[in-house]
Amino acid sequence: MEHNVKSIRAFIGAKNFQLSRQFYNDLGFEESRVSPNMSLFRIDHLSFYLQDAYVKDWVDNSMLFLEVSDLDDYRNRLLELNLHNTYDRVTLSKIHNNDWGREVFMHDPSGILWHFGEFY
């Protein structure tokens, strides 16, 4: 089967939509409002939808992985943004080394777990 695709986009929820919108703007994503209760957030050619919808079990089990080219530099830039001290519930881990590569974990204000990583 041939796929002529242009993108794949995850849908994530927000416990507090306005707070989460501000968080992702502060993180450096570009926001495009889709409707009053949904925004598209982009970095380069990558994107996801943030919804004004919260189902605890869904949000608590949502994870996204963003591959970066230099994890040390990316984590340092995350530290400079100070999001983990600006927003309640936002956490930033130390770098974890795995057999496949390295990663850092960050929870957004709703509890969505982000994996920022680089492969060996």
Side-chain angles (χ1 to χ4, degrees), residues 24-83:
Y24 285 110
N25 278 290
D26 290 348
L27 187 53
F29 285 85
E30 179 184 327
E31 180 182 12
S32 298
R33 292 298 299 264
V34 175
S35 70
N37 61 352
M38 186 182 302
S39 288
L40 177 70
F41 284 90
R42 276 193 183 102
I43 329 175
D44 300 325
H45 63 282
L46 307 173
S47 57
F48 66 90
Y49 292 104
L50 178 70
Q51 300 177 91
D52 188 6
Y54 180 75
V55 176
K56 184 177 177 12
D57 287 343
W58 169 45
V59 170
D60 286 350
N61 287 290
S62 293
M63 294 184 279
L64 297 169
F65 186 96
L66 183 67
E67 182 183 358
V68 299
S69 58
D70 183 339
L71 187 61
D72 293 300
D73 178 63
Y74 198 82
R75 185 175 186 277
N76 286 336
R77 289 189 285 138
L78 289 172
L79 286 169
E80 289 172 5
L81 291 174
N82 203 33
L83 300 173

Short mmCIF file of all heavy atoms in Angstrom, two decimals, residues 24-83:
data_model
loop_
_atom_site.label_atom_id
_atom_site.label_comp_id
_atom_site.label_asym_id
_atom_site.label_seq_id
_atom_site.Cartn_x
_atom_site.Cartn_y
_atom_site.Cartn_z
N TYR A 24 2.33 25.59 26.30
CA TYR A 24 2.90 25.18 25.01
C TYR A 24 3.43 26.37 24.22
O TYR A 24 4.43 26.24 23.50
CB TYR A 24 1.89 24.35 24.21
CG TYR A 24 1.79 22.96 24.79
CD1 TYR A 24 0.65 22.54 25.46
CD2 TYR A 24 2.87 22.09 24.72
CE1 TYR A 24 0.58 21.28 26.03
CE2 TYR A 24 2.82 20.82 25.29
CZ TYR A 24 1.67 20.43 25.95
OH TYR A 24 1.62 19.18 26.52
N ASN A 25 2.82 27.53 24.37
CA ASN A 25 3.40 28.74 23.77
C ASN A 25 4.74 29.06 24.43
O ASN A 25 5.72 29.36 23.74
CB ASN A 25 2.43 29.93 23.89
CG ASN A 25 1.38 29.91 22.81
OD1 ASN A 25 1.68 30.14 21.66
ND2 ASN A 25 0.14 29.64 23.19
N ASP A 26 4.81 28.98 25.76
CA ASP A 26 6.07 29.23 26.47
C ASP A 26 7.14 28.20 26.12
O ASP A 26 8.33 28.52 26.11
CB ASP A 26 5.85 29.23 27.98
CG ASP A 26 5.06 30.43 28.47
OD1 ASP A 26 4.88 31.39 27.70
OD2 ASP A 26 4.63 30.40 29.65
N LEU A 27 6.71 26.99 25.80
CA LEU A 27 7.65 25.94 25.41
C LEU A 27 8.22 26.17 24.01
O LEU A 27 9.22 25.58 23.63
CB LEU A 27 6.95 24.57 25.50
CG LEU A 27 7.78 23.31 25.30
CD1 LEU A 27 9.00 23.26 26.21
CD2 LEU A 27 6.91 22.07 25.52
N GLY A 28 7.59 27.07 23.26
CA GLY A 28 8.13 27.43 21.95
C GLY A 28 7.35 26.90 20.77
O GLY A 28 7.80 27.02 19.63
N PHE A 29 6.19 26.31 21.02
CA PHE A 29 5.34 25.86 19.94
C PHE A 29 4.59 27.06 19.36
O PHE A 29 4.30 28.02 20.06
CB PHE A 29 4.32 24.83 20.42
CG PHE A 29 4.90 23.47 20.67
CD1 PHE A 29 5.50 23.16 21.89
CD2 PHE A 29 4.83 22.48 19.71
CE1 PHE A 29 6.02 21.91 22.13
CE2 PHE A 29 5.35 21.22 19.94
CZ PHE A 29 5.95 20.93 21.15
N GLU A 30 4.25 26.98 18.09
CA GLU A 30 3.44 28.00 17.43
C GLU A 30 1.98 27.53 17.45
O GLU A 30 1.68 26.42 17.00
CB GLU A 30 3.90 28.21 16.00
CG GLU A 30 3.11 29.22 15.23
CD GLU A 30 3.56 29.32 13.79
OE1 GLU A 30 4.76 29.14 13.52
OE2 GLU A 30 2.68 29.54 12.93
N GLU A 31 1.10 28.37 17.95
CA GLU A 31 -0.31 28.00 18.09
C GLU A 31 -1.15 28.55 16.95
O GLU A 31 -1.02 29.70 16.56
CB GLU A 31 -0.86 28.54 19.42
CG GLU A 31 -2.31 28.19 19.64
CD GLU A 31 -2.87 28.77 20.93
OE1 GLU A 31 -2.21 29.63 21.55
OE2 GLU A 31 -3.99 28.37 21.30
N SER A 32 -2.04 27.69 16.45
CA SER A 32 -3.08 28.10 15.51
C SER A 32 -4.41 27.66 16.11
O SER A 32 -4.61 26.46 16.35
CB SER A 32 -2.90 27.44 14.15
OG SER A 32 -1.69 27.81 13.56
N ARG A 33 -5.30 28.59 16.34
CA ARG A 33 -6.61 28.24 16.89
C ARG A 33 -7.44 27.56 15.80
O ARG A 33 -7.57 28.07 14.70
CB ARG A 33 -7.35 29.49 17.39
CG ARG A 33 -6.73 30.15 18.62
CD ARG A 33 -6.70 29.28 19.86
NE ARG A 33 -7.96 28.83 20.36
CZ ARG A 33 -8.64 29.41 21.33
NH1 ARG A 33 -8.19 30.50 21.91
NH2 ARG A 33 -9.81 28.92 21.71
N VAL A 34 -7.96 26.41 16.11
CA VAL A 34 -8.80 25.65 15.19
C VAL A 34 -10.27 25.96 15.46
O VAL A 34 -11.08 26.09 14.55
CB VAL A 34 -8.52 24.14 15.32
CG1 VAL A 34 -9.45 23.32 14.46
CG2 VAL A 34 -7.06 23.84 14.99
N SER A 35 -10.60 26.06 16.74
CA SER A 35 -11.95 26.37 17.19
C SER A 35 -11.82 26.93 18.61
O SER A 35 -10.72 26.93 19.16
CB SER A 35 -12.84 25.11 17.16
OG SER A 35 -12.44 24.22 18.16
N PRO A 36 -12.92 27.36 19.22
CA PRO A 36 -12.80 27.87 20.60
C PRO A 36 -12.27 26.84 21.60
O PRO A 36 -11.71 27.22 22.62
CB PRO A 36 -14.24 28.27 20.95
CG PRO A 36 -14.89 28.56 19.64
CD PRO A 36 -14.26 27.58 18.67
N ASN A 37 -12.41 25.56 21.28
CA ASN A 37 -11.96 24.53 22.23
C ASN A 37 -10.85 23.63 21.67
O ASN A 37 -10.64 22.52 22.19
CB ASN A 37 -13.14 23.69 22.72
CG ASN A 37 -13.84 22.96 21.60
OD1 ASN A 37 -13.54 23.17 20.43
ND2 ASN A 37 -14.75 22.08 21.96
N MET A 38 -10.15 24.09 20.65
CA MET A 38 -9.05 23.28 20.10
C MET A 38 -8.02 24.18 19.42
O MET A 38 -8.37 25.14 18.73
CB MET A 38 -9.56 22.26 19.08
CG MET A 38 -8.46 21.31 18.60
SD MET A 38 -9.00 20.12 17.34
CE MET A 38 -10.32 19.29 18.17
N SER A 39 -6.75 23.85 19.65
CA SER A 39 -5.64 24.55 19.01
C SER A 39 -4.68 23.53 18.42
O SER A 39 -4.53 22.42 18.95
CB SER A 39 -4.87 25.41 20.01
OG SER A 39 -5.61 26.53 20.39
N LEU A 40 -4.03 23.93 17.34
CA LEU A 40 -2.96 23.14 16.73
C LEU A 40 -1.65 23.78 17.16
O LEU A 40 -1.48 25.00 17.02
CB LEU A 40 -3.08 23.15 15.21
CG LEU A 40 -1.97 22.42 14.45
CD1 LEU A 40 -2.07 20.92 14.67
CD2 LEU A 40 -2.03 22.76 12.97
N PHE A 41 -0.74 22.98 17.69
CA PHE A 41 0.58 23.47 18.11
C PHE A 41 1.64 22.85 17.21
O PHE A 41 1.63 21.64 16.98
CB PHE A 41 0.85 23.14 19.58
CG PHE A 41 0.11 24.05 20.50
CD1 PHE A 41 -1.16 23.73 20.94
CD2 PHE A 41 0.67 25.25 20.90
CE1 PHE A 41 -1.86 24.58 21.79
CE2 PHE A 41 -0.01 26.11 21.74
CZ PHE A 41 -1.28 25.77 22.19
N ARG A 42 2.55 23.70 16.72
CA ARG A 42 3.58 23.26 15.75
C ARG A 42 4.98 23.64 16.20
O ARG A 42 5.18 24.69 16.79
CB ARG A 42 3.38 23.98 14.43
CG ARG A 42 2.42 23.43 13.51
CD ARG A 42 2.57 24.08 12.12
NE ARG A 42 1.56 23.53 11.26
CZ ARG A 42 0.44 24.15 10.93
NH1 ARG A 42 0.23 25.38 11.34
NH2 ARG A 42 -0.45 23.57 10.19
N ILE A 43 5.92 22.77 15.84
CA ILE A 43 7.35 23.11 15.80
C ILE A 43 7.79 22.57 14.45
O ILE A 43 7.66 21.37 14.20
CB ILE A 43 8.22 22.42 16.85
CG1 ILE A 43 7.54 22.11 18.13
CG2 ILE A 43 9.48 23.19 17.09
CD1 ILE A 43 8.42 21.33 19.09
N ASP A 44 8.33 23.43 13.63
CA ASP A 44 8.75 23.03 12.28
C ASP A 44 7.58 22.34 11.57
O ASP A 44 6.50 22.87 11.48
CB ASP A 44 10.01 22.16 12.33
CG ASP A 44 11.19 22.88 12.96
OD1 ASP A 44 11.29 24.11 12.77
OD2 ASP A 44 11.99 22.23 13.65
N HIS A 45 7.79 21.09 11.13
CA HIS A 45 6.74 20.36 10.41
C HIS A 45 5.98 19.38 11.32
O HIS A 45 5.16 18.61 10.85
CB HIS A 45 7.36 19.60 9.23
CG HIS A 45 8.36 18.57 9.65
ND1 HIS A 45 9.64 18.90 10.02
CD2 HIS A 45 8.25 17.24 9.78
CE1 HIS A 45 10.28 17.79 10.36
NE2 HIS A 45 9.46 16.77 10.22
N LEU A 46 6.24 19.42 12.63
CA LEU A 46 5.60 18.52 13.58
C LEU A 46 4.49 19.26 14.32
O LEU A 46 4.63 20.44 14.63
CB LEU A 46 6.63 18.01 14.59
CG LEU A 46 7.89 17.39 14.00
CD1 LEU A 46 8.89 17.09 15.10
CD2 LEU A 46 7.54 16.13 13.22
N SER A 47 3.41 18.55 14.60
CA SER A 47 2.30 19.23 15.27
C SER A 47 1.41 18.25 16.04
O SER A 47 1.45 17.05 15.83
CB SER A 47 1.46 20.02 14.26
OG SER A 47 0.99 19.17 13.24
N PHE A 48 0.60 18.82 16.93
CA PHE A 48 -0.41 18.06 17.67
C PHE A 48 -1.57 18.99 17.99
O PHE A 48 -1.44 20.21 17.95
CB PHE A 48 0.18 17.46 18.97
CG PHE A 48 0.58 18.48 19.99
CD1 PHE A 48 -0.32 18.91 20.96
CD2 PHE A 48 1.85 19.02 19.99
CE1 PHE A 48 0.05 19.86 21.90
CE2 PHE A 48 2.24 19.97 20.92
CZ PHE A 48 1.33 20.39 21.88
N TYR A 49 -2.72 18.39 18.29
CA TYR A 49 -3.91 19.14 18.67
C TYR A 49 -4.06 19.12 20.19
O TYR A 49 -3.95 18.06 20.82
CB TYR A 49 -5.18 18.55 18.06
CG TYR A 49 -5.26 18.69 16.57
CD1 TYR A 49 -5.01 17.62 15.73
CD2 TYR A 49 -5.60 19.92 16.00
CE1 TYR A 49 -5.10 17.75 14.35
CE2 TYR A 49 -5.69 20.06 14.62
CZ TYR A 49 -5.43 18.97 13.81
OH TYR A 49 -5.52 19.12 12.45
N LEU A 50 -4.33 20.28 20.76
CA LEU A 50 -4.67 20.41 22.17
C LEU A 50 -6.16 20.71 22.25
O LEU A 50 -6.64 21.64 21.59
CB LEU A 50 -3.87 21.53 22.83
CG LEU A 50 -4.17 21.79 24.30
CD1 LEU A 50 -3.65 20.64 25.16
CD2 LEU A 50 -3.56 23.11 24.76
N GLN A 51 -6.87 19.92 23.05
CA GLN A 51 -8.32 20.06 23.16
C GLN A 51 -8.73 20.54 24.54
O GLN A 51 -8.10 20.16 25.53
CB GLN A 51 -9.01 18.72 22.92
CG GLN A 51 -8.73 18.12 21.56
CD GLN A 51 -9.39 16.76 21.46
OE1 GLN A 51 -10.52 16.66 21.03
NE2 GLN A 51 -8.67 15.73 21.88
N ASP A 52 -9.78 21.30 24.61
CA ASP A 52 -10.38 21.69 25.87
C ASP A 52 -11.28 20.54 26.30
O ASP A 52 -12.50 20.62 26.29
CB ASP A 52 -11.17 22.98 25.72
CG ASP A 52 -11.66 23.53 27.05
OD1 ASP A 52 -11.29 22.97 28.10
OD2 ASP A 52 -12.41 24.51 27.03
N ALA A 53 -10.64 19.44 26.64
CA ALA A 53 -11.34 18.22 27.04
C ALA A 53 -10.45 17.51 28.05
O ALA A 53 -9.24 17.42 27.86
CB ALA A 53 -11.59 17.32 25.84
N TYR A 54 -11.05 17.03 29.11
CA TYR A 54 -10.26 16.36 30.14
C TYR A 54 -10.98 15.12 30.62
O TYR A 54 -12.09 15.18 31.16
CB TYR A 54 -10.01 17.30 31.32
CG TYR A 54 -9.19 16.67 32.43
CD1 TYR A 54 -7.83 16.49 32.27
CD2 TYR A 54 -9.79 16.25 33.60
CE1 TYR A 54 -7.06 15.91 33.29
CE2 TYR A 54 -9.05 15.66 34.62
CZ TYR A 54 -7.68 15.50 34.46
OH TYR A 54 -6.93 14.92 35.44
N VAL A 55 -10.36 13.99 30.37
CA VAL A 55 -10.78 12.71 30.94
C VAL A 55 -9.53 12.19 31.65
O VAL A 55 -8.52 11.91 31.02
CB VAL A 55 -11.25 11.72 29.85
CG1 VAL A 55 -11.58 10.37 30.46
CG2 VAL A 55 -12.43 12.29 29.08
N LYS A 56 -9.58 12.14 32.96
CA LYS A 56 -8.40 11.83 33.77
C LYS A 56 -7.67 10.59 33.28
O LYS A 56 -6.44 10.62 33.10
CB LYS A 56 -8.79 11.69 35.24
CG LYS A 56 -7.59 11.46 36.15
CD LYS A 56 -7.99 11.42 37.59
CE LYS A 56 -6.91 11.11 38.57
NZ LYS A 56 -5.55 11.12 38.19
N ASP A 57 -8.37 9.49 33.07
CA ASP A 57 -7.70 8.26 32.64
C ASP A 57 -7.02 8.42 31.29
O ASP A 57 -5.95 7.86 31.05
CB ASP A 57 -8.69 7.09 32.58
CG ASP A 57 -9.10 6.61 33.95
OD1 ASP A 57 -8.40 6.93 34.94
OD2 ASP A 57 -10.13 5.92 34.05
N TRP A 58 -7.62 9.19 30.39
CA TRP A 58 -7.02 9.43 29.07
C TRP A 58 -5.76 10.27 29.21
O TRP A 58 -4.69 9.90 28.71
CB TRP A 58 -8.06 10.12 28.18
CG TRP A 58 -7.54 10.68 26.89
CD1 TRP A 58 -6.70 10.06 26.01
CD2 TRP A 58 -7.84 11.94 26.33
NE1 TRP A 58 -6.47 10.88 24.92
CE2 TRP A 58 -7.16 12.04 25.10
CE3 TRP A 58 -8.63 13.01 26.72
CZ2 TRP A 58 -7.23 13.16 24.28
CZ3 TRP A 58 -8.72 14.12 25.90
CH2 TRP A 58 -8.02 14.18 24.70
N VAL A 59 -5.87 11.40 29.91
CA VAL A 59 -4.72 12.30 30.04
C VAL A 59 -3.60 11.63 30.83
O VAL A 59 -2.43 11.73 30.46
CB VAL A 59 -5.15 13.64 30.70
CG1 VAL A 59 -3.95 14.48 31.08
CG2 VAL A 59 -6.06 14.41 29.74
N ASP A 60 -3.94 10.92 31.89
CA ASP A 60 -2.92 10.27 32.70
C ASP A 60 -2.18 9.17 31.95
O ASP A 60 -1.11 8.74 32.39
CB ASP A 60 -3.53 9.68 33.97
CG ASP A 60 -3.88 10.74 35.00
OD1 ASP A 60 -3.48 11.92 34.82
OD2 ASP A 60 -4.56 10.40 36.00
N ASN A 61 -2.73 8.71 30.84
CA ASN A 61 -2.09 7.66 30.05
C ASN A 61 -1.61 8.15 28.69
O ASN A 61 -1.26 7.35 27.83
CB ASN A 61 -3.05 6.48 29.87
CG ASN A 61 -3.21 5.70 31.15
OD1 ASN A 61 -2.30 5.03 31.58
ND2 ASN A 61 -4.35 5.86 31.79
N SER A 62 -1.56 9.47 28.49
CA SER A 62 -1.09 10.04 27.23
C SER A 62 0.40 10.34 27.32
O SER A 62 0.86 10.94 28.30
CB SER A 62 -1.84 11.33 26.89
OG SER A 62 -3.19 11.05 26.63
N MET A 63 1.14 9.93 26.29
CA MET A 63 2.57 10.20 26.20
C MET A 63 2.91 10.58 24.78
O MET A 63 2.33 10.04 23.83
CB MET A 63 3.38 8.96 26.59
CG MET A 63 3.26 8.55 28.03
SD MET A 63 4.34 7.16 28.44
CE MET A 63 3.38 5.80 27.82
N LEU A 64 3.85 11.50 24.63
CA LEU A 64 4.35 11.91 23.33
C LEU A 64 5.87 11.84 23.38
O LEU A 64 6.48 12.15 24.41
CB LEU A 64 3.91 13.33 22.98
CG LEU A 64 2.41 13.53 22.86
CD1 LEU A 64 2.08 15.01 22.78
CD2 LEU A 64 1.89 12.82 21.62
N PHE A 65 6.48 11.44 22.27
CA PHE A 65 7.94 11.36 22.18
C PHE A 65 8.40 12.35 21.12
O PHE A 65 7.93 12.31 19.98
CB PHE A 65 8.39 9.95 21.79
CG PHE A 65 9.88 9.77 21.82
CD1 PHE A 65 10.49 9.23 22.94
CD2 PHE A 65 10.67 10.13 20.74
CE1 PHE A 65 11.88 9.06 22.98
CE2 PHE A 65 12.04 9.98 20.76
CZ PHE A 65 12.65 9.44 21.89
N LEU A 66 9.31 13.25 21.49
CA LEU A 66 9.89 14.21 20.57
C LEU A 66 11.37 13.90 20.46
O LEU A 66 12.11 14.01 21.45
CB LEU A 66 9.68 15.64 21.07
CG LEU A 66 10.18 16.75 20.16
CD1 LEU A 66 9.36 16.80 18.88
CD2 LEU A 66 10.10 18.09 20.88
N GLU A 67 11.80 13.47 19.28
CA GLU A 67 13.21 13.17 19.07
C GLU A 67 13.97 14.46 18.80
O GLU A 67 13.55 15.28 17.98
CB GLU A 67 13.38 12.22 17.88
CG GLU A 67 14.82 11.83 17.63
CD GLU A 67 15.00 10.94 16.41
OE1 GLU A 67 14.00 10.57 15.76
OE2 GLU A 67 16.16 10.64 16.11
N VAL A 68 15.07 14.65 19.51
CA VAL A 68 15.93 15.82 19.33
C VAL A 68 17.33 15.35 18.95
O VAL A 68 17.70 14.21 19.18
CB VAL A 68 15.97 16.70 20.60
CG1 VAL A 68 14.58 17.22 20.94
CG2 VAL A 68 16.55 15.94 21.79
N SER A 69 18.10 16.25 18.36
CA SER A 69 19.44 15.87 17.89
C SER A 69 20.50 15.97 18.98
O SER A 69 21.52 15.27 18.91
CB SER A 69 19.85 16.72 16.68
OG SER A 69 19.83 18.08 17.02
N ASP A 70 20.30 16.81 19.98
CA ASP A 70 21.27 16.98 21.06
C ASP A 70 20.51 17.12 22.37
O ASP A 70 20.03 18.20 22.72
CB ASP A 70 22.13 18.22 20.79
CG ASP A 70 23.22 18.44 21.83
OD1 ASP A 70 23.12 17.92 22.96
OD2 ASP A 70 24.19 19.18 21.51
N LEU A 71 20.39 16.02 23.10
CA LEU A 71 19.57 16.00 24.31
C LEU A 71 20.15 16.89 25.41
O LEU A 71 19.40 17.54 26.13
CB LEU A 71 19.39 14.57 24.82
CG LEU A 71 18.42 14.41 25.99
CD1 LEU A 71 17.02 14.87 25.61
CD2 LEU A 71 18.40 12.98 26.49
N ASP A 72 21.46 16.93 25.54
CA ASP A 72 22.06 17.78 26.57
C ASP A 72 21.68 19.24 26.34
O ASP A 72 21.26 19.94 27.26
CB ASP A 72 23.59 17.63 26.58
CG ASP A 72 24.01 16.24 27.02
OD1 ASP A 72 23.67 15.85 28.15
OD2 ASP A 72 24.68 15.56 26.22
N ASP A 73 21.82 19.70 25.11
CA ASP A 73 21.47 21.07 24.78
C ASP A 73 19.98 21.31 24.97
O ASP A 73 19.58 22.34 25.52
CB ASP A 73 21.88 21.38 23.33
CG ASP A 73 21.50 22.79 22.92
OD1 ASP A 73 22.01 23.75 23.52
OD2 ASP A 73 20.67 22.93 21.99
N TYR A 74 19.15 20.36 24.55
CA TYR A 74 17.70 20.53 24.67
C TYR A 74 17.28 20.62 26.13
O TYR A 74 16.48 21.48 26.50
CB TYR A 74 16.97 19.39 23.96
CG TYR A 74 15.53 19.72 23.67
CD1 TYR A 74 15.19 20.47 22.55
CD2 TYR A 74 14.51 19.30 24.51
CE1 TYR A 74 13.87 20.80 22.28
CE2 TYR A 74 13.19 19.62 24.26
CZ TYR A 74 12.88 20.37 23.14
OH TYR A 74 11.57 20.71 22.89
N ARG A 75 17.84 19.77 26.97
CA ARG A 75 17.49 19.82 28.41
C ARG A 75 17.94 21.14 29.01
O ARG A 75 17.23 21.74 29.82
CB ARG A 75 18.09 18.65 29.17
CG ARG A 75 17.64 18.64 30.63
CD ARG A 75 18.13 17.42 31.40
NE ARG A 75 17.55 17.41 32.71
CZ ARG A 75 18.03 18.10 33.76
NH1 ARG A 75 19.09 18.88 33.61
NH2 ARG A 75 17.45 18.02 34.94
N ASN A 76 19.13 21.62 28.63
CA ASN A 76 19.60 22.91 29.14
C ASN A 76 18.65 24.03 28.75
O ASN A 76 18.37 24.93 29.54
CB ASN A 76 21.02 23.21 28.66
CG ASN A 76 22.05 22.37 29.37
OD1 ASN A 76 21.83 21.90 30.48
ND2 ASN A 76 23.18 22.16 28.73
N ARG A 77 18.14 23.98 27.52
CA ARG A 77 17.19 25.01 27.09
C ARG A 77 15.86 24.88 27.84
O ARG A 77 15.22 25.88 28.17
CB ARG A 77 16.98 24.95 25.57
CG ARG A 77 18.24 25.46 24.85
CD ARG A 77 18.04 25.65 23.37
NE ARG A 77 18.03 24.35 22.71
CZ ARG A 77 17.19 24.00 21.75
NH1 ARG A 77 16.30 24.84 21.29
NH2 ARG A 77 17.25 22.80 21.21
N LEU A 78 15.43 23.65 28.15
CA LEU A 78 14.23 23.46 28.97
C LEU A 78 14.44 24.04 30.37
O LEU A 78 13.54 24.68 30.91
CB LEU A 78 13.87 21.98 29.07
CG LEU A 78 13.32 21.31 27.81
CD1 LEU A 78 13.20 19.80 28.03
CD2 LEU A 78 11.99 21.91 27.40
N LEU A 79 15.62 23.82 30.92
CA LEU A 79 15.92 24.38 32.24
C LEU A 79 15.88 25.91 32.21
O LEU A 79 15.36 26.55 33.13
CB LEU A 79 17.30 23.91 32.73
CG LEU A 79 17.38 22.46 33.20
CD1 LEU A 79 18.83 22.05 33.39
CD2 LEU A 79 16.59 22.27 34.49
N GLU A 80 16.42 26.51 31.15
CA GLU A 80 16.41 27.97 31.01
C GLU A 80 14.99 28.53 30.93
O GLU A 80 14.73 29.63 31.42
CB GLU A 80 17.21 28.40 29.78
CG GLU A 80 18.70 28.22 29.92
CD GLU A 80 19.46 28.46 28.62
OE1 GLU A 80 18.84 28.86 27.61
OE2 GLU A 80 20.68 28.22 28.62
N LEU A 81 14.08 27.77 30.33
CA LEU A 81 12.68 28.22 30.26
C LEU A 81 12.01 28.24 31.63
O LEU A 81 11.03 28.93 31.84
CB LEU A 81 11.89 27.33 29.30
CG LEU A 81 12.24 27.44 27.83
CD1 LEU A 81 11.46 26.40 27.02
CD2 LEU A 81 11.96 28.84 27.30
N ASN A 82 12.53 27.41 32.55
CA ASN A 82 12.05 27.37 33.93
C ASN A 82 10.58 27.00 34.06
O ASN A 82 9.90 27.41 35.00
CB ASN A 82 12.33 28.71 34.63
CG ASN A 82 12.38 28.58 36.12
OD1 ASN A 82 12.80 27.56 36.66
ND2 ASN A 82 11.93 29.60 36.82
N LEU A 83 10.07 26.24 33.11
CA LEU A 83 8.66 25.86 33.12
C LEU A 83 8.31 25.01 34.33
O LEU A 83 7.19 25.08 34.84
CB LEU A 83 8.31 25.12 31.83
CG LEU A 83 8.52 25.90 30.54
CD1 LEU A 83 8.29 25.00 29.34
CD2 LEU A 83 7.63 27.11 30.50
#
